Structures are given as structure tokens and as C-alpha cells.
Amino acid sequence: EKILRANKRKDFPSQGQWDKNIKTVLQSISKGKIKKIVLARQTVLNFSTKIDPWDVLSRLFDVTPNSYHFCFQFNGTAFLGASPERLYRKFGRGIISEAIAGTSQRGKGISADHAYKEGLLGSLKNNHEHSFVVSAIDQGLKRICSDHQHALNPSVLTLGNGHHLITSFEGKLKDNVQDEDIISALHPTPAVGGSPSKESKEMLAKLEGFGRGWYTGLIGYVGLDWSEFVVGIRSALIKNKEMTVYAGAGIVEGSQSQEEWQEIENKISNFIKLIR
């Protein structure tokens, strides 16, 4: 098997700029301007030879259980990833969706891993962060469903490199609701944007310092009988000898800059594992 070795890495923003951005966000939260924002980071990896995106995707399969794998390629550029986040699945007039937000690392060994899960379920900060996404999806489904419900309490979704809080929704769509209506009602959730949506988007445009491109966009399928879309997170853009890996962290009151930086390190670790 061909070994992938990166010879250069650069983070945007840098850790110093990240610290400043978090400080700015926390000040806005304390003033009541926003409640939550998801700050993203891009990590650019340069290689000495051209990267095969399909080879990278096949390697991702092995380290990313419970994920939706995707890759699309044109004009020498490929966007690929292993997203855990399904925005919705529609089948007839039925719809299901999930809120995913709030993260902890995995533990080494069964008992340590269980302790992280329990810690995540009991974490006030993570439950607070998660609640914004639950509320937004709940409000969105109210607009497009004749009835819907969700689990009363979040459970834990376990991935290869972390645990996440997840709340499942199901509902019955109103007549004549189409996929564009569903997307308009649900996307972007505060799992990738923020709350309130308009203010957080304006702040992200000023702070992040790079265009997200397809990152946090929607990838999916529209058919006659069913449709399904996932959010393009845990993803990377590949062009020739360069791979740009994207990840974000939800910032709420009580967030710590170093912890959020490390959370992103954990989220991009699936890609980093492939090149060592």
C-alpha cells in the first residue's frame, strides 16, 4: 500500500488567531448578541506527490464507523469525507432527522471510554450546546410537518475518534412539502452555523478568514420515493498535491479556547491518521 506522507502543514486560523477569535465570540455571547457559534478551521497538508482521492476515501472507511462516506470529483478537484450528521431522510410523507452537537474524546479501554460517555451525557456545557440544535430542528419541522416528535433526552453516538450527543426526530410532512422546502426549513442548523442564525453567519464571515466552500454544505440524493441529505463535515478538499481538511467546534458560554482547538484536532485525526 502506498504511504501518504505530508511534508508541510499549516492551520488557518493559526492557534494564536484562534485564541483571539474565541475571545471575540465569548465577548459577544456575554453581551447577549449571540448564544452559540460554530467556528471552523482548515488544515492544509502538502504532499510531494499527487493525491488519489479515492485511495483516501477507501482508507477513511476503515477508521470512520457510523458515518456517511462521500466523494465527488471534477476538474481535478475532489471533495470527500465521512460525515456522522444526517440532516434528514424523507420516505413518502415520513421524515427523520438528527441533532448532533456536543463532543467528547474516546477513552483508552472500555471503562475509560464509558466514563467519557457518561461525562458527556452529564456535561452542562455540552447539553447546552446540543439544545440549540434540538430547538432549531424542532422549529424547522414545525413549519413543514403536520406532526413530529423527538427523543426527550440525547443519547450518545460513538465514532472512531469521539463521542457525540444525538437526538433523533421523526415526523409526517404536510402535503406538497418538497425537498427544497425541507432544506430551507432545516439548514444550516446551529451544529454548523450558530444561534441566532443571521447574527452568527455575519460574525463567521468576519472571523473565520477563509471561504468554507463545500464544507458544511449538503450532500445527498433526491429520488421519486425517498431523499436523503447529510452535512458535509469531517471533510477534505483535494487538489493535486494538496489536501485541505475542515472541522469546526461549537462555542458557547464557558467554552475554553485550548479545549476547542483540541476538539478540532480530534475531529481531523481520521485524516491525520492516514498520512503517518
Side-chain angles (χ1 to χ4, degrees):
E1 189 181 68
K2 193 169 84 173
I3 296 171
L4 285 171
R5 279 210 180 92
N7 50 30
K8 193 176 166 191
R9 167 181 169 164
K10 194 154 188 183
D11 296 306
F12 300 94
S14 65
Q15 192 162 4
Q17 187 59 48
W18 175 263
D19 293 341
K20 289 177 187 171
N21 290 352
I22 297 283
K23 193 174 177 182
T24 302
V25 168
L26 291 174
Q27 283 170 350
S28 284
I29 291 173
S30 69
K31 289 173 185 171
K33 291 179 182 175
I34 56 167
K35 295 175 182 174
K36 174 188 176 176
I37 198 166
V38 179
L39 278 180
R41 192 184 91 197
Q42 58 177 16
T43 297
V44 181
L45 303 162
N46 292 101
F47 297 80
S48 54
T49 55
K50 196 173 175 183
I51 313 155
D52 178 356
W54 303 98
D55 174 51
V56 173
L57 185 68
S58 70
R59 294 171 191 240
L60 270 181
F61 271 112
D62 298 331
V63 293
T64 51
N66 299 330
S67 299
Y68 299 89
H69 299 90
F70 60 87
C71 179
F72 58 92
Q73 181 179 26
F74 46 88
N75 295 337
T77 301
F79 184 65
L80 58 87
S83 174
E85 189 169 335
R86 172 167 55 188
L87 185 69
Y88 74 90
R89 185 173 197 267
K90 173 173 82 80
F91 40 95
R93 302 318 296 161
I95 186 170
I96 57 174
S97 182
E98 290 119 16
I100 298 177
T103 305
S104 86
Q105 65 190 74
R106 297 291 305 270
K108 290 179 180 174
I110 294 169
S111 61
D113 203 42
H114 181 72
Y116 276 115
K117 270 190 193 179
E118 292 300 307
L120 178 61
L121 284 168
S123 163
L124 291 176
K125 183 255 180 189
N126 281 293
N127 275 277
H128 180 53
E129 183 186 332
H130 185 78
S131 70
F132 290 113
V133 187
V134 172
S135 177
I137 294 176
D138 192 48
Q139 292 300 315
L141 290 177
K142 268 183 192 163
R143 284 163 50 191
I144 56 175
C145 288
S146 53
D147 66 81
H148 76 283
Q149 55 277 326
H150 63 79
L152 289 176
N153 297 303
S155 52
V156 174
L157 170 69
T158 297
L159 303 176
N161 60 348
H163 300 296
H164 301 280
L165 292 177
I166 179 170
T167 296
S168 299
F169 293 76
E170 59 179 292
K172 186 181 178 187
L173 293 165
K174 293 175 184 173
D175 292 339
N176 301 318
V177 169
Q178 304 298 321
D179 286 282
E180 54 264 37
D181 303 314
I182 301 170
I183 290 168
S184 174
L186 296 181
H187 184 70
T189 75
V192 295
S195 181
S197 183
K198 181 176 177 286
E199 288 79 0
S200 53
K201 277 192 222 171
E202 287 169 359
M203 183 168 237
L204 286 174
K206 289 176 189 169
L207 283 186
E208 278 187 342
F210 63 89
R212 288 190 177 189
W214 289 307
Y215 169 64
T216 69
L218 296 184
I219 295 129
Y221 166 87
V222 177
L224 290 173
D225 301 318
W226 64 277
S227 307
E228 186 166 34
F229 280 89
V230 303
V231 184
I233 58 172
R234 310 303 164 83
S235 50
L237 188 72
I238 291 176
K239 189 168 186 179
N240 296 322
K241 300 177 182 179
E242 188 173 271
M243 177 159 65
T244 303
V245 185
Y246 301 91
I251 313 303
V252 294
E253 187 180 2
S255 290
Q256 302 286 327
S257 179
Q258 180 58 40
E259 286 177 12
E260 303 300 339
W261 181 271
Q262 189 54 50
E263 181 180 310
I264 288 182
E265 286 294 306
N266 290 341
K267 285 175 176 175
I268 69 168
S269 65
N270 288 328
F271 285 97
I272 301 301
K273 281 175 196 166
L274 305 182
I275 62 172
R276 284 181 178 172

Short mmCIF file of all heavy atoms in Angstrom, two decimals, residues 1 11-13 20 52 66 71 94 105 110 114 147 166 181 191 193 214 222 226 256 262-263:
data_model
loop_
_atom_site.label_atom_id
_atom_site.label_comp_id
_atom_site.label_asym_id
_atom_site.label_seq_id
_atom_site.Cartn_x
_atom_site.Cartn_y
_atom_site.Cartn_z
N GLU A 1 0.84 -1.20 0.00
CA GLU A 1 0.00 0.00 0.00
C GLU A 1 0.87 1.25 0.00
O GLU A 1 1.85 1.33 0.71
CB GLU A 1 -0.90 -0.01 1.24
CG GLU A 1 -1.96 1.08 1.22
CD GLU A 1 -2.82 1.04 2.48
OE1 GLU A 1 -2.27 1.36 3.55
OE2 GLU A 1 -4.00 0.72 2.40
N ASP A 11 -2.20 25.64 9.57
CA ASP A 11 -3.56 25.80 10.09
C ASP A 11 -4.06 27.23 9.88
O ASP A 11 -3.34 28.19 10.13
CB ASP A 11 -3.60 25.48 11.60
CG ASP A 11 -3.25 24.03 11.89
OD1 ASP A 11 -3.90 23.15 11.32
OD2 ASP A 11 -2.33 23.78 12.70
N PHE A 12 -5.29 27.34 9.41
CA PHE A 12 -5.96 28.64 9.25
C PHE A 12 -7.28 28.61 10.02
O PHE A 12 -8.13 27.79 9.69
CB PHE A 12 -6.25 28.94 7.78
CG PHE A 12 -5.04 29.00 6.90
CD1 PHE A 12 -4.60 27.88 6.22
CD2 PHE A 12 -4.33 30.18 6.75
CE1 PHE A 12 -3.48 27.92 5.40
CE2 PHE A 12 -3.21 30.25 5.92
CZ PHE A 12 -2.79 29.11 5.25
N PRO A 13 -7.49 29.44 11.01
CA PRO A 13 -6.52 30.38 11.55
C PRO A 13 -5.43 29.67 12.34
O PRO A 13 -5.60 28.50 12.71
CB PRO A 13 -7.37 31.27 12.47
CG PRO A 13 -8.48 30.38 12.91
CD PRO A 13 -8.78 29.48 11.76
N LYS A 20 -7.72 34.50 19.77
CA LYS A 20 -8.32 35.84 19.67
C LYS A 20 -9.78 35.74 19.22
O LYS A 20 -10.65 36.47 19.71
CB LYS A 20 -7.53 36.70 18.67
CG LYS A 20 -6.16 37.13 19.17
CD LYS A 20 -5.44 37.91 18.07
CE LYS A 20 -3.99 38.19 18.49
NZ LYS A 20 -3.22 38.75 17.37
N ASP A 52 -4.46 10.64 -4.59
CA ASP A 52 -5.62 9.97 -5.19
C ASP A 52 -6.78 10.04 -4.20
O ASP A 52 -6.75 9.37 -3.16
CB ASP A 52 -5.27 8.52 -5.51
CG ASP A 52 -6.45 7.76 -6.11
OD1 ASP A 52 -7.56 8.34 -6.21
OD2 ASP A 52 -6.28 6.58 -6.45
N ASN A 66 -19.99 4.26 11.60
CA ASN A 66 -21.19 5.07 11.86
C ASN A 66 -21.16 6.40 11.13
O ASN A 66 -21.57 7.43 11.66
CB ASN A 66 -21.37 5.32 13.37
CG ASN A 66 -21.54 4.04 14.15
OD1 ASN A 66 -22.06 3.06 13.62
ND2 ASN A 66 -21.10 4.02 15.39
N CYS A 71 -17.71 11.15 -1.88
CA CYS A 71 -16.64 11.77 -2.65
C CYS A 71 -17.21 12.20 -3.99
O CYS A 71 -17.92 11.42 -4.63
CB CYS A 71 -15.48 10.80 -2.87
SG CYS A 71 -14.11 11.50 -3.85
N GLY A 94 -43.10 10.59 5.26
CA GLY A 94 -42.36 10.45 6.52
C GLY A 94 -41.00 11.14 6.45
O GLY A 94 -40.40 11.25 5.37
N GLN A 105 -13.87 13.11 23.77
CA GLN A 105 -12.92 12.19 23.16
C GLN A 105 -13.25 10.76 23.57
O GLN A 105 -14.09 10.51 24.42
CB GLN A 105 -11.50 12.56 23.59
CG GLN A 105 -11.24 12.39 25.08
CD GLN A 105 -9.90 12.99 25.48
OE1 GLN A 105 -9.74 14.20 25.55
NE2 GLN A 105 -8.93 12.13 25.74
N ILE A 110 -12.24 -0.04 27.86
CA ILE A 110 -13.71 0.00 27.96
C ILE A 110 -14.18 0.91 29.09
O ILE A 110 -15.09 1.73 28.91
CB ILE A 110 -14.28 -1.43 28.14
CG1 ILE A 110 -14.02 -2.25 26.87
CG2 ILE A 110 -15.78 -1.39 28.43
CD1 ILE A 110 -14.29 -3.72 26.99
N HIS A 114 -16.28 4.38 28.67
CA HIS A 114 -17.61 4.50 29.29
C HIS A 114 -17.67 5.76 30.15
O HIS A 114 -18.69 6.47 30.17
CB HIS A 114 -17.92 3.26 30.13
CG HIS A 114 -19.26 3.29 30.77
ND1 HIS A 114 -20.43 3.14 30.06
CD2 HIS A 114 -19.63 3.49 32.07
CE1 HIS A 114 -21.46 3.24 30.89
NE2 HIS A 114 -21.01 3.44 32.11
N ASP A 147 -47.28 16.67 12.07
CA ASP A 147 -46.91 16.32 13.44
C ASP A 147 -45.50 15.75 13.45
O ASP A 147 -45.03 15.22 12.44
CB ASP A 147 -47.90 15.31 14.07
CG ASP A 147 -47.86 13.95 13.38
OD1 ASP A 147 -46.96 13.15 13.71
OD2 ASP A 147 -48.72 13.69 12.51
N ILE A 166 -26.61 12.96 20.56
CA ILE A 166 -27.50 12.87 19.41
C ILE A 166 -28.95 12.77 19.88
O ILE A 166 -29.25 12.06 20.85
CB ILE A 166 -27.13 11.66 18.51
CG1 ILE A 166 -28.08 11.55 17.31
CG2 ILE A 166 -27.10 10.36 19.28
CD1 ILE A 166 -27.63 10.54 16.25
N ASP A 181 -38.15 22.76 0.31
CA ASP A 181 -38.81 23.32 1.50
C ASP A 181 -38.16 22.78 2.77
O ASP A 181 -37.97 23.51 3.75
CB ASP A 181 -40.31 22.97 1.51
CG ASP A 181 -41.02 23.45 0.25
OD1 ASP A 181 -40.78 24.61 -0.14
OD2 ASP A 181 -41.78 22.67 -0.33
N ALA A 191 -25.59 23.38 14.52
CA ALA A 191 -24.47 22.43 14.61
C ALA A 191 -23.33 22.85 13.69
O ALA A 191 -22.19 22.43 13.87
CB ALA A 191 -24.93 21.02 14.24
N GLY A 193 -23.63 26.36 12.07
CA GLY A 193 -23.70 27.82 11.98
C GLY A 193 -23.68 28.45 13.36
O GLY A 193 -22.63 28.67 13.94
N TRP A 214 -17.48 23.88 -0.01
CA TRP A 214 -18.48 22.82 0.17
C TRP A 214 -18.59 22.36 1.63
O TRP A 214 -19.56 21.69 2.00
CB TRP A 214 -18.15 21.61 -0.71
CG TRP A 214 -18.38 21.84 -2.15
CD1 TRP A 214 -19.53 22.30 -2.74
CD2 TRP A 214 -17.45 21.62 -3.22
NE1 TRP A 214 -19.36 22.38 -4.10
CE2 TRP A 214 -18.10 21.97 -4.43
CE3 TRP A 214 -16.14 21.15 -3.27
CZ2 TRP A 214 -17.48 21.87 -5.67
CZ3 TRP A 214 -15.52 21.05 -4.50
CH2 TRP A 214 -16.19 21.41 -5.68
N VAL A 222 -31.86 12.93 -4.28
CA VAL A 222 -33.29 13.17 -4.38
C VAL A 222 -33.87 12.16 -5.36
O VAL A 222 -33.43 12.11 -6.52
CB VAL A 222 -33.60 14.60 -4.87
CG1 VAL A 222 -35.11 14.81 -5.04
CG2 VAL A 222 -33.05 15.64 -3.91
N TRP A 226 -37.78 8.46 -2.19
CA TRP A 226 -37.09 8.87 -0.97
C TRP A 226 -35.95 9.82 -1.30
O TRP A 226 -35.46 9.84 -2.43
CB TRP A 226 -36.58 7.67 -0.18
CG TRP A 226 -35.54 6.84 -0.89
CD1 TRP A 226 -35.77 5.86 -1.80
CD2 TRP A 226 -34.12 6.93 -0.75
NE1 TRP A 226 -34.58 5.32 -2.24
CE2 TRP A 226 -33.55 5.96 -1.61
CE3 TRP A 226 -33.27 7.73 0.02
CZ2 TRP A 226 -32.18 5.77 -1.72
CZ3 TRP A 226 -31.90 7.54 -0.11
CH2 TRP A 226 -31.37 6.58 -0.95
N GLN A 256 -13.64 26.91 26.36
CA GLN A 256 -12.23 27.23 26.59
C GLN A 256 -11.48 27.08 25.26
O GLN A 256 -11.60 26.06 24.58
CB GLN A 256 -11.62 26.27 27.62
CG GLN A 256 -12.30 26.27 28.96
CD GLN A 256 -11.99 27.52 29.77
OE1 GLN A 256 -10.90 28.07 29.66
NE2 GLN A 256 -12.96 27.97 30.56
N GLN A 262 -8.31 21.57 20.66
CA GLN A 262 -8.04 20.13 20.77
C GLN A 262 -9.19 19.31 20.21
O GLN A 262 -8.98 18.24 19.63
CB GLN A 262 -7.76 19.76 22.23
CG GLN A 262 -7.24 18.33 22.42
CD GLN A 262 -6.02 18.01 21.57
OE1 GLN A 262 -5.05 18.77 21.56
NE2 GLN A 262 -6.07 16.90 20.83
N GLU A 263 -10.43 19.81 20.40
CA GLU A 263 -11.58 19.09 19.85
C GLU A 263 -11.47 18.99 18.33
O GLU A 263 -11.76 17.95 17.74
CB GLU A 263 -12.89 19.82 20.23
CG GLU A 263 -14.13 19.12 19.70
CD GLU A 263 -15.41 19.84 20.08
OE1 GLU A 263 -15.59 20.16 21.27
OE2 GLU A 263 -16.24 20.08 19.19
#
